[in-house]
Amino acid sequence: MPTNFTVVPVEDSRTESLQEEADVQSHSQEFYPGDTIPKEDSPFIDRDNDQESYYDGKNMALFEEEMDSNPMVSSLLNKLANYTNLTQGVVEHEEAENEEGAKRKTVKSPQMGTFFGVYLPCLQNILGVILFLRLTWIVGTAGILEAFAIVFMCCSCTMLTAISMSAVATNGVVPAGGSYYMISRSLGPEFGGAVGLCFYLGTTFAGSMYILGTIEIFLTYIVPSVAIFTAEKKEDEAAAMLNNMRVYGTGCLLLMALLVFVGVKYVNKMALVFLSCVVLSIIAIYAGVIKTAFESPHFPICLLGNRILENLDFDKCLKKEVVNNVTVPTKLSTLFCDSPFQEENCDEYFKLNNVTEIKGIPGLLSGVISENLWSSYGPSGMLVEKAGHEYIPAQNTSRDSSLPYVFNDITTVFTLLVGIYFPSVTGIMAGSNRSGDLRDAQRSIPTGTILAIVTTSFIYMSCVLLFGACIEGVVLRDKFGHSVHKNLVIGTLSWPSPWVIVIGSFFSCCGAGLQSLTGAPRLLQAIARDGIVPFLQVFGHGKANGEPTWALLLTAAICEIGILIASLDAVAPILSMFFLMCYLFVNLACAVQTLLRTPNWRPRFKFYHWTLSFLGMSLCLSLMFISSWYYALVAMLIAGCIYKYIEYRGAEKEWGDGIRGLSLNAARYALIRLEEAPPHTKNWRPQLLVLLNLDGELAVKHPRLLSFTTQLKAGRGLTIVSSVLEGTYLSKGAEAKRAEQSIKSAMSAEKTKGFCHAVVSSNLRDGFSHLIQTAGLGGMKHNTVLMAWPGNWKQAEDSQSWRNFIETIRETTAAHQALLVAKNVDSFPTNLERLEGTIDVWWIVHDGGLLMLLPFLFHQHKVWRRCKMRIFTVAQMDDNSIQMKKDLQMFLYHLRLDAEVEVVEMHERDISAFTYEKTLVMEQRSQMLKQMRLSRTEREREAQLIHDRNTKSHAVLTDKANTVPDRVHMTWTKEKLVSERNRQREANMGVRDLFSMKPEWENLNQSNVRRMHTAVELNKALTSKSTEAQLVLLNMPGPPKNKGGDENYMEFLEVLMEGLPCVLLVRGGGREVITIYS
């Protein structure tokens, strides 16, 4: 719908005083952290050059603080009006050659219209070598009906591609690079790079094909005498021709490459000449067809029986002639007879059949069209014969290959003809490649390209019908025109002379070859300068004026490969594959963008639909496999390798491509499906939320935790790496971004695949709680929390750290999530280590089977692959340990797990004095911490008083007091401190006075004593069996429901893991995660 704009002038009465005041305010303005976040750069706004033109008036004072980031609409419109889109084409390069110094010349605004900017370039690129050299042969071999089908399929493919290309090209500005730019910005750098390089290879091999066509015309029809290699026998003529093509083709390539290197301005100046040759040749063909309706051209052909003869070494189609009343053999007889005067020495077929001369070009009204409707395929070496003509077969055919018959030089099938013909309809990208030179690209590209395709499609289809209606079928199948005195077959139909077509096609092929050698290096340079393929960086450089010198050298080298193949019929299917793949992805780009309905998809060209794009894509894929299935597979393999290389080694680019949008839609669909039901036990795997701690420099404190994550996940499942910063988001927003970058760097270094997120919260506890509740999305949420054990919790000045740890345990339990706690995580192996030993699993209580699953997952990673799994379980006095072992072995067998099984018997022992001692110390420390919960003022006052008393104390007592933290002095007397230190020393030495200690033991909490006893006994079993293990997995007991016992809980865990190098505490999430069923 039209939109009306009204421009309202606003009077601005600025004064010098206001200007000075504004200047002062601009220097004294206070910036808030939220205002410093960088915004996305605008393509129209040059922020560096607009610092002096900021708006400092009073009419827009409400927005004055945002003027540097959000400019006035008038400024934006001014930028848009002065914006010009320059191509990486030859115009700038030639202007740069004439520049003096570093001063850039002002570029004129583009002025080319639809006709000269799009229509004629497309016409010149589409009409070319195949039309002049192979279309007549295709019509004769495939017949009019099948040839028409070939042309219709190929033209339909390009028409559908042009519709898709018009939609993509008119959805914004398309700089130089044409199809590569459109595909890469629509489907992403991986697809863009892969298809861009395929299009580059196609354009390069097209240059080879045009050069081979040029040399074929030159050596076959213009000056055959300059051939370097000649054949003494007829059988060797093909090999000699191929060698001539290689030598002359290489020389032609060097001359063309030198011309492009010296200056493409000469190529551009000759473009009009080449186009004129094409147009004149087409006109000559139609003029010749019209003339045949009234008078047939005199191009007789000679038939022996039903076989067509090469009309090279004889002038009369007679076996004998009368000269001066004497019958003498003709030159034709000398070719078939060893002795022309003795018929018994002649070839058997020559003796049995008569010689007939017929018109090679019967004419438009001759009715020959009915004979040319059907195909005539055959193997290589098959004789070209006229169907329905009388002949007598011969028994001996051994000499046929050396006689002047016309043979098939290659095996002909329908699919081969499709591959050979398709290059004749390529070239539809010529208009989009010149978008920077067009006055109105969004109108000219669709109109000019589609009109050019309609015109060329009409020419090709009409030529198929006209060639079949005017030319004899055996002449059509004579690829090189040997039967018509070695004339170009299409030239025999032209008017006024065959030389019009010969010269026109020669210059047309020359021009097309030069255009390919000009365009291919610039396409490679555009890909290299995008930086998505690292090994192509060198080809982004060139001469001082930007000419792609290195890219031209590579293009010439690849083009030489095609020339060494030396056969136009062999090169054509190769470049067909690359062009078809390019067109396939143009259609895919349009279809994806249309179906996704992205907000930026607003093409000016409205006559498109996603069904047409899918039809074009399907047709391209079908033509690839119809032409040559093995070439198609090779082309797809090359594109796939380039895609994977860019994915793993290429630079990351965000171009707002459709694949990213497709991924988002697919992810949304998958997440909605996942949310419908929880995963089955067979599909359960740990989806990790890794809670990291950062130091003051925002570096990861325990990077080995990320290594451990990599080894556990092996790139599968969900991994969310998170950290919490204390503060407010307004003040710590930028710091959170830096923290995320630090975490991403650590993840990259440790090869951890997943997502990272740093949140800002008023305190760590709330931050971790929010992450546990909200991390993930939909059905893709974590089910397991991984964190490191707070190793210095006893020495911490603030108890909040280990309290947060315990609260995290409680919250994961409440959320029904599994919990993994790694102790001594800095001693865990790196990803480069290869461990040998055991992974010991201590299965004390069953909490879902996670203990069994984790060693199996570790074993998938190369770090742990050589480690064996051992499972220990604990038997009480009333348990049958032998039966337990058998049952456990059977259980592991059903779980398909290989592990050694051992049952550890724990007898009912009396609680030892060591256990009582550990419990006493624990409770006294707990009491001490409770008494320390005073106000900050009281703690400082009491600390100062104790410090003053301590300075006057005895030296020995002072030394002992200094061995414990300062806060212990706040609540303990010196006498109690000395007695406690003595008790600890005696406990370590194993000397105890049981009778004097027993009164204190009786006051202990018996529940704590029992828990400590369990921890001590289990620790003895652990240290006796698993000290040498590479990793110990152990059930993690839950925290007490009464928060008053949190300090004791930490002590229990510390005693339980004492003396073990690497421990992973495992706490299940309350559901079964492993099953014996299939």
Side-chain angles (χ1 to χ4, degrees):
M1 57 181 294
T3 304
N4 297 324
F5 291 96
T6 303
V7 180
V8 180
V10 180
E11 182 180 357
D12 184 12
S13 55
R14 286 177 287 184
T15 62
E16 294 183 0
S17 60
L18 289 176
Q19 175 67 40
E20 294 174 359
E21 182 181 351
D23 292 340
V24 173
Q25 290 179 355
S26 65
H27 290 290
S28 61
Q29 184 178 6
E30 180 182 359
F31 291 95
Y32 294 94
D35 298 332
T36 61
I37 300 174
K39 296 191 176 182
E40 183 181 0
D41 292 334
S42 170
F44 307 113
I45 303 170
D46 186 3
R47 303 188 189 283
D48 297 335
N49 299 329
D50 290 344
Q51 295 299 322
E52 71 279 359
S53 60
Y54 61 88
Y55 190 84
D56 55 358
K58 64 181 181 180
N59 291 317
M60 295 295 171
L62 185 60
F63 302 96
E64 63 184 4
E65 294 184 357
E66 301 176 352
M67 285 299 172
D68 54 345
S69 58
N70 300 329
M72 293 286 293
V73 174
S74 58
S75 175
L76 174 63
L77 294 177
N78 184 48
K79 294 290 184 181
L80 282 169
N82 295 328
Y83 176 70
T84 57
N85 175 33
L86 304 180
T87 64
Q88 296 170 349
V90 300
V91 178
E92 297 88 329
H93 298 315
E94 296 306 331
E95 287 178 351
E97 286 185 353
N98 300 325
E99 288 179 2
E100 296 180 1
K103 186 176 180 180
R104 180 172 296 178
K105 192 172 182 179
T106 303
V107 181
K108 297 179 181 179
S109 58
Q111 295 296 327
M112 296 184 71
T114 302
F115 187 75
F116 288 100
V118 180
Y119 180 77
L120 290 182
C122 286
L123 208 66
Q124 180 184 1
N125 280 268
I126 294 173
L127 298 173
V129 60
I130 300 297
L131 170 64
F132 300 119
L133 295 183
R134 293 292 182 269
L135 188 58
T136 54
W137 173 71
I138 291 173
V139 173
T141 304
I144 294 175
L145 297 179
E146 292 186 25
F148 193 85
I150 292 173
V151 173
F152 180 77
M153 283 194 304
C154 296
C155 292
S156 299
C157 177
T158 54
M159 176 60 76
L160 293 172
T161 303
I163 292 172
S164 299
M165 183 199 70
S166 299
V168 177
T170 57
N171 187 50
V173 180
V174 179
S179 60
Y180 160 70
Y181 184 91
M182 289 188 292
I183 294 171
S184 62
R185 269 57 177 182
S186 297
L187 296 180
E190 293 87 2
F191 278 109
V195 181
L197 286 176
C198 286
F199 189 52
Y200 163 74
L201 292 174
T203 307
T204 304
F205 276 104
S208 302
M209 185 186 71
Y210 292 131
I211 292 173
L212 290 175
T214 302
I215 301 304
E216 182 177 315
I217 295 170
F218 182 73
L219 292 178
T220 307
Y221 307 111
I222 299 179
V223 279
S225 59
V226 299
I228 299 174
F229 300 93
T230 56
E232 296 181 358
K233 298 180 180 180
K234 180 177 173 60
E235 302 93 291
D236 300 331
E237 287 181 356
M241 184 62 181
L242 292 179
N243 290 329
N244 286 319
M245 297 280 283
R246 292 185 180 103
V247 174
Y248 278 96
T250 302
C252 183
L253 172 63
L254 293 176
L255 288 175
M256 288 184 176
L258 183 62
L259 180 60
V260 172
F261 177 77
V262 169
V264 291
K265 66 172 74 173
Y266 306 111
V267 178
N268 292 334
K269 290 178 180 178
M270 290 188 291
L272 186 60
V273 176
F274 299 142
L275 178 61
S276 302
C277 292
V278 173
V279 174
L280 289 176
S281 299
I282 299 296
I283 294 173
I285 293 172
Y286 282 106
V289 169
I290 296 172
K291 184 176 182 296
T292 61
F294 306 100
E295 179 185 357
S296 300
H298 183 66
F299 284 100
I301 58 173
C302 189
L303 292 177
L304 177 60
N306 66 341
R307 300 176 182 178
I308 188 172
L309 301 178
E310 291 184 350
N311 195 350
L312 301 177
D313 300 322
F314 62 91
D315 52 354
K316 295 180 180 180
C317 187
L318 298 170
K319 289 185 177 181
K320 295 180 180 179
E321 62 178 342
V322 178
V323 178
N324 297 326
N325 296 323
V326 179
T327 302
V328 296
T330 61
K331 290 183 179 180
L332 178 61
S333 298
T334 61
L335 298 175
F336 287 88
C337 303
D338 296 332
S339 175
F341 298 99
Q342 298 178 358
E343 291 187 1
E344 62 272 9
N345 294 328
C346 295
D347 177 69
E348 181 184 359
Y349 189 85
F350 181 78
K351 290 188 295 182
L352 295 175
N353 291 278
N354 294 323
V355 176
T356 308
E357 185 176 82
I358 62 174
K359 291 182 179 181
I361 313 294
L364 186 62
L365 305 178
S366 63
V368 73
I369 187 172
S370 60
E371 300 177 7
N372 294 332
L373 287 175
W374 314 111
S375 62
S376 181
Y377 301 116
S380 176
M382 187 186 78
L383 291 166
V384 176
E385 299 174 337
K386 180 175 174 59
H389 202 75
E390 294 182 358
Y391 73 100
I392 302 174
Q395 300 296 325
N396 185 10
T397 58
S398 58
R399 294 181 57 192
D400 287 351
S401 59
S402 60
L403 296 175
Y405 295 124
V406 177
F407 298 91
N408 281 352
D409 62 332
I410 59 174
T411 300
T412 54
V413 290
F414 177 81
T415 57
L416 174 69
L417 299 185
V418 174
I420 293 175
Y421 174 75
F422 187 80
S424 66
V425 297
T426 60
I428 62 175
M429 301 290 183
S432 63
N433 291 343
R434 296 168 177 254
S435 60
D437 299 326
L438 301 175
R439 188 183 307 114
D440 186 359
Q442 297 193 359
R443 183 180 64 86
S444 297
I445 290 177
T447 306
T449 304
I450 293 176
L451 283 178
I453 293 175
V454 170
T455 304
T456 54
S457 299
F458 172 78
I459 292 173
Y460 282 128
M461 292 179 184
S462 62
C463 282
V464 168
L465 295 175
L466 295 176
F467 292 164
C470 296
I471 305 176
E472 183 65 47
V474 288
V475 178
L476 289 173
R477 282 181 279 150
D478 183 7
K479 183 185 292 185
F480 301 104
H482 292 143
S483 61
V484 284
H485 300 284
K486 215 168 187 178
N487 278 298
L488 185 61
V489 174
I490 195 174
T492 60
L493 187 62
S494 64
W495 181 86
S497 169
W499 283 100
V500 175
I501 300 293
V502 172
I503 300 302
S505 60
F506 177 79
F507 283 108
S508 172
C509 292
C510 285
L514 286 171
Q515 292 291 341
S516 297
L517 290 178
T518 303
R522 282 167 176 76
L523 177 60
L524 181 62
Q525 186 183 47
I527 298 172
R529 286 182 173 176
D530 262 346
I532 58 174
V533 186
F535 71 85
L536 291 180
Q537 295 289 340
V538 64
F539 299 109
H541 307 292
K543 293 195 295 186
N545 63 343
E547 283 291 330
T549 307
W550 294 106
L552 178 60
L553 290 176
L554 180 64
T555 302
I558 298 175
C559 195
E560 178 65 17
I561 296 174
I563 289 174
L564 292 178
I565 296 175
S567 172
L568 187 145
D569 300 322
V571 173
I574 297 176
L575 65 99
S576 295
M577 293 302 110
F578 293 123
F579 278 117
L580 279 168
M581 183 167 290
C582 176
Y583 296 165
L584 184 150
F585 281 99
V586 170
N587 285 293
L588 178 62
C590 181
V592 168
Q593 296 279 26
T594 305
L595 290 175
L596 290 179
R597 298 179 181 178
T598 53
N600 190 54
W601 181 246
R602 303 184 300 273
R604 290 284 184 186
F605 181 76
K606 301 299 182 183
F607 305 100
Y608 69 94
H609 196 267
W610 65 268
T611 54
L612 295 177
S613 300
F614 268 112
L615 181 60
M617 184 174 62
S618 303
L619 191 54
C620 289
L621 190 62
S622 301
L623 287 175
M624 286 177 65
F625 283 92
I626 288 174
S627 302
S628 175
W629 64 268
Y630 46 89
Y631 278 162
L633 292 178
V634 170
M636 294 172 73
L637 179 64
I638 292 173
C641 292
I642 297 171
Y643 178 93
K644 298 304 292 184
Y645 176 81
I646 296 173
E647 185 179 29
Y648 284 109
R649 297 292 303 276
E652 294 184 3
K653 299 285 185 180
E654 175 52 60
W655 287 331
D657 52 88
I659 292 298
R660 180 64 61 90
L662 188 63
S663 301
L664 288 173
N665 274 8
R668 180 185 64 84
Y669 175 77
L671 288 172
I672 292 174
R673 291 291 304 274
L674 283 174
E675 202 170 13
E676 292 178 358
H680 192 272
T681 302
K682 291 184 290 186
N683 296 326
W684 194 95
R685 67 166 60 244
Q687 316 288 1
L688 290 182
L689 171 64
V690 184
L691 302 180
L692 289 181
N693 289 325
L694 305 179
D695 58 19
E697 300 297 327
L698 299 180
V700 177
K701 281 186 178 180
H702 304 294
R704 294 288 178 88
L705 197 63
L706 295 176
S707 304
F708 186 71
T709 303
T710 302
Q711 296 157 22
L712 175 60
K713 299 294 291 181
R716 297 176 179 87
L718 174 68
T719 300
I720 304 174
V721 183
S722 302
S723 186
V724 178
L725 303 179
E726 284 191 282
T728 63
Y729 188 72
L730 287 179
S731 60
K732 292 291 186 71
E735 191 173 336
K737 297 294 183 184
R738 293 198 303 272
E740 284 189 358
Q741 292 300 321
S742 175
I743 295 173
K744 284 182 180 179
S745 300
M747 291 174 66
S748 177
E750 302 298 337
K751 298 181 180 179
T752 303
K753 296 181 180 180
F755 311 98
C756 75
H757 190 40
V759 300
V760 182
S761 179
S762 57
N763 57 72
L764 295 178
R765 175 181 171 182
D766 289 345
F768 288 130
S769 176
H770 295 157
L771 286 172
I772 291 172
Q773 296 176 58
T774 62
L777 183 63
M780 202 63 175
K781 291 180 68 69
H782 64 279
N783 55 28
T784 305
V785 177
L786 172 63
M787 58 182 177
W789 172 264
N792 58 345
W793 68 276
K794 286 186 177 181
Q795 291 78 27
E797 296 181 0
D798 187 7
S799 63
Q800 196 60 40
S801 60
W802 56 265
R803 291 187 183 278
N804 289 339
F805 173 77
I806 296 176
E807 288 301 318
T808 302
I809 298 175
R810 288 194 175 99
E811 286 170 354
T812 54
T813 304
H816 301 289
Q817 296 174 4
L819 177 65
L820 306 178
V821 179
K823 188 174 186 291
N824 299 328
V825 68
D826 293 329
S827 301
F828 279 43
T830 64
N831 291 326
L832 300 178
E833 297 182 43
R834 301 294 180 267
L835 301 181
E836 293 184 2
T838 61
I839 300 175
D840 288 357
V841 178
W842 283 81
W843 192 22
I844 300 172
V845 295
H846 179 66
D847 56 356
L850 184 57
L851 274 172
M852 303 294 184
L853 184 61
L854 289 176
F856 172 77
L857 296 177
F858 282 126
H859 201 260
Q860 307 304 308
H861 197 274
K862 53 190 173 182
V863 173
W864 303 93
R865 193 162 293 159
R866 300 177 184 175
C867 293
K868 296 181 179 180
M869 178 179 171
R870 296 193 304 178
I871 296 183
F872 298 90
T873 188
V874 177
Q876 302 296 327
M877 283 296 295
D878 54 349
D879 294 328
N880 186 342
S881 59
I882 298 176
Q883 188 62 37
M884 282 182 64
K885 184 174 182 178
K886 291 181 179 179
D887 293 341
L888 182 54
Q889 287 174 339
M890 182 58 65
F891 182 56
L892 293 177
Y893 175 78
H894 287 304
L895 290 175
R896 291 91 65 199
L897 297 176
D898 296 325
E900 298 178 9
V901 175
E902 185 172 344
V903 178
V904 178
E905 296 182 353
M906 293 189 65
H907 302 289
E908 289 291 343
R909 296 188 180 92
D910 294 334
I911 299 176
S912 64
F914 176 76
T915 301
Y916 278 111
E917 183 68 19
K918 295 286 288 185
T919 308
L920 178 62
V921 174
M922 179 187 70
E923 290 195 355
Q924 288 179 342
R925 184 178 183 278
S926 178
Q927 186 65 27
M928 173 196 70
L929 293 174
K930 289 179 181 178
Q931 294 180 10
M932 287 173 57
R933 293 169 189 163
L934 305 172
S935 65
R936 182 175 181 180
T937 306
E938 292 173 343
R939 289 203 306 270
E940 292 177 354
R941 186 188 311 116
E942 189 171 354
Q944 185 63 38
L945 293 174
I946 295 174
H947 177 72
D948 294 340
R949 289 199 303 269
N950 287 344
T951 55
K952 301 176 183 179
S953 301
H954 193 269
V956 177
L957 295 178
T958 305
D959 293 339
K960 293 179 181 179
N962 289 336
T963 60
V964 294
D966 291 342
R967 59 179 181 174
V968 173
H969 296 293
M970 301 177 191
T971 56
W972 286 27
T973 63
K974 295 178 183 179
E975 291 78 14
K976 191 172 183 179
L977 176 63
V978 173
S979 64
E980 172 59 23
R981 297 303 299 171
N982 290 335
R983 278 200 303 273
Q984 290 182 3
R985 184 170 63 252
E986 290 171 359
N988 294 333
M989 294 171 62
V991 179
R992 297 176 177 84
D993 187 353
L994 300 180
F995 297 100
S996 61
M997 296 289 289
K998 195 167 184 178
E1000 294 189 21
W1001 291 354
E1002 292 177 350
N1003 297 327
L1004 294 176
N1005 187 320
Q1006 293 304 309
S1007 177
N1008 288 340
V1009 173
R1010 290 196 307 271
R1011 287 186 173 89
M1012 183 62 74
H1013 175 70
T1014 303
V1016 170
E1017 292 300 319
L1018 280 175
N1019 180 257
K1020 288 180 181 179
L1022 286 165
T1023 52
S1024 64
K1025 300 288 185 179
S1026 302
T1027 306
E1028 301 299 326
Q1030 298 291 352
L1031 179 64
V1032 178
L1033 278 72
L1034 180 63
N1035 282 118
M1036 182 180 190
K1041 296 180 180 180
N1042 181 14
K1043 295 185 179 181
D1046 287 353
E1047 302 89 343
N1048 302 339
Y1049 174 71
M1050 295 294 292
E1051 189 67 38
F1052 293 145
L1053 295 181
E1054 193 72 58
V1055 172
L1056 182 63
M1057 297 182 290
E1058 189 174 0
L1060 298 175
C1062 296
V1063 183
L1064 183 67
L1065 293 174
V1066 180
R1067 184 165 174 79
R1071 61 164 294 172
E1072 293 292 331
V1073 299
I1074 194 168
T1075 179
I1076 63 174
Y1077 299 104
S1078 61

